[in-house]
Amino acid sequence: PFYTPASDRPLYGGEGYLSIVNWMRKGFSDVQWHIADFVINENKAAIKWDLTGTHDGEFMGIKPTNKKISVCVMNFYYFNEKGKIINDIAATGMIGILKGIGAMQ
């Protein structure tokens, strides 16, 4: 399962990941994620992502502002004995996104 503040229920598999990507692309057509740093061991990883984009579509009911955002987000991945991701917890960068588009102070 994939846990994210963008959904009130866990998401699963590639379809779950793509739903988040598509959701972000609706509000930020040029959204990109770049790995900034990570720590990993045999059964878990913490990854810091730099997320950038331009608010050129409606996002969470907020009309486009054309503001550029640059936000740090974190994910924690857990692996099974075969090295497959069995759990992913997204620590939100949502506050940074909302501040970046002027929806929060």
Side-chain angles (χ1 to χ4, degrees):
F2 172 47
Y3 298 93
T4 173
S7 175
D8 59 355
R9 59 178 172 60
L11 304 172
Y12 293 90
E15 186 177 314
Y17 278 102
L18 286 177
S19 72
I20 295 300
V21 170
N22 292 331
W23 176 70
M24 287 297 298
R25 286 210 187 281
K26 286 179 185 174
F28 305 87
S29 64
D30 61 347
V31 69
Q32 293 187 17
W33 293 265
H34 298 277
I35 294 176
D37 200 359
F38 64 91
V39 177
I40 189 168
N41 67 23
E42 63 278 349
N43 64 352
K44 61 185 152 187
I47 300 186
K48 176 186 172 195
W49 300 91
D50 288 335
L51 180 148
T52 60
T54 306
H55 182 218
D56 56 3
E58 189 169 310
F59 183 74
M60 297 181 66
I62 301 165
K63 300 287 183 206
T65 62
N66 291 312
K67 292 183 178 184
K68 296 203 179 286
I69 61 165
S70 181
V71 181
C72 168
V73 296
M74 291 285 301
N75 284 74
F76 298 91
Y77 301 93
Y78 298 85
F79 307 97
N80 67 14
E81 62 280 347
K82 295 180 182 178
K84 293 190 176 198
I85 296 173
I86 57 170
N87 195 358
D88 175 5
I89 299 173
T92 186
M94 192 62 65
I95 290 174
I97 293 170
L98 293 173
K99 282 183 177 183
I101 63 175
M104 286 183 72
Q105 295 291 332

